[in-house]
Amino acid sequence: MSHDFHERVENSIKNPKNMGEMADADAIGTVGSPGCGDMVRMWLKYKSENGKRIIDKATFQSFGCETAIAAASLATELIRGKTPEEAAQMSGTDLAADLGPLPPTKIHCTQLVEDALRSALSGPQADPPPKASEAGSPASLMDSLNPESHDASGVKLVFLDDDPTP
Ligand code: FES
């Protein structure tokens, strides 16, 4: 991993932007990486401007590596003011462009952010809009970490036993 890349990620996660649940979100997308087990959830709020629907605000939560957190933070800033169609055109690399060239082992981290965004963009928004607090849609990633449940993304979470004694 290049020193520059590491420094940019560290700078970005020192003060991540738009982290946390959005209670009045219009759309929510959650994805998990089967490879590393990390998860990203993104909330979107839309507004109308000049007859167009645009993204007014985006927030995220992540149980992921530093790169995923940095990329999600950058992405929520970058998509603000874009139409859903414009945001859907953006790749993970576009969304995390400020991090600079990504080491090959970190490309999937930005892909996870792209997938969370696409999941939110493709979610039901009109009938009725999903709210973070609605039943069936866990309010936070922590809610998703119920060992008895499967996340909406289909990721099954397996918790390790704290007590290693047999
Ligand atoms: Fe899994 Fe970065 S290592 S998202």
Side-chain angles (χ1 to χ4, degrees), residues 21-30 41-46 59 120 123-140 143:
E21 302 165 29
M22 192 193 305
D24 61 344
D26 293 322
I28 306 171
T30 306
R41 173 167 290 164
M42 195 172 284
W43 286 262
L44 299 176
K45 181 80 185 164
Y46 296 105
T59 66
Q125 286 136 20
D127 49 336
K131 300 291 183 198
S133 57
E134 281 182 357
S137 179
S140 71
D143 294 338

Side-chain angles (χ1 to χ4, degrees), residues 2 4-5 8-9 67 74 92-93 96-103 107 110:
S2 83
D4 274 1
F5 171 76
R8 282 191 293 264
V9 169
T67 304
L74 291 170
T93 307
D98 281 358
L99 295 179
L102 298 168
I107 289 174
T110 61

Side-chain angles (χ1 to χ4, degrees), residues 33 35-40 62-69 105-106 108-110 112:
S33 165
C36 65
D38 292 341
M39 296 174 69
V40 173
S62 172
F63 281 112
C65 70
E66 293 180 344
T67 304
I69 294 169
T105 55
K106 291 294 174 184
H108 83 276
C109 313
T110 61
L112 198 61

Side-chain angles (χ1 to χ4, degrees), residues 13-147:
I13 62 169
K14 268 185 199 158
N15 184 23
K17 305 282 193 295
N18 307 312
M19 194 155 69
E21 302 165 29
M22 192 193 305
D24 61 344
D26 293 322
I28 306 171
T30 306
V31 292
S33 165
C36 65
D38 292 341
M39 296 174 69
V40 173
R41 173 167 290 164
M42 195 172 284
W43 286 262
L44 299 176
K45 181 80 185 164
Y46 296 105
K47 72 174 180 182
S48 272
E49 195 172 276
N50 301 324
K52 287 192 301 189
R53 188 170 66 146
I54 63 168
I55 297 169
D56 183 35
K57 190 170 184 217
T59 66
F60 77 97
Q61 282 186 331
S62 172
F63 281 112
C65 70
E66 293 180 344
T67 304
I69 294 169
S73 171
L74 291 170
T76 54
E77 292 280 283
L78 205 57
I79 61 175
R80 203 170 183 167
K82 295 198 182 306
T83 65
E85 295 75 21
E86 289 167 341
Q89 299 290 318
M90 303 185 76
S91 69
T93 307
D94 295 333
L95 293 166
D98 281 358
L99 295 179
L102 298 168
T105 55
K106 291 294 174 184
I107 289 174
H108 83 276
C109 313
T110 61
Q111 182 70 48
L112 198 61
V113 174
E114 176 189 327
D115 291 347
L117 172 59
R118 288 184 191 285
S119 172
L121 288 169
S122 66
Q125 286 136 20
D127 49 336
K131 300 291 183 198
S133 57
E134 281 182 357
S137 179
S140 71
L141 278 183
M142 193 52 80
D143 294 338
S144 300
L145 296 180
N146 177 342

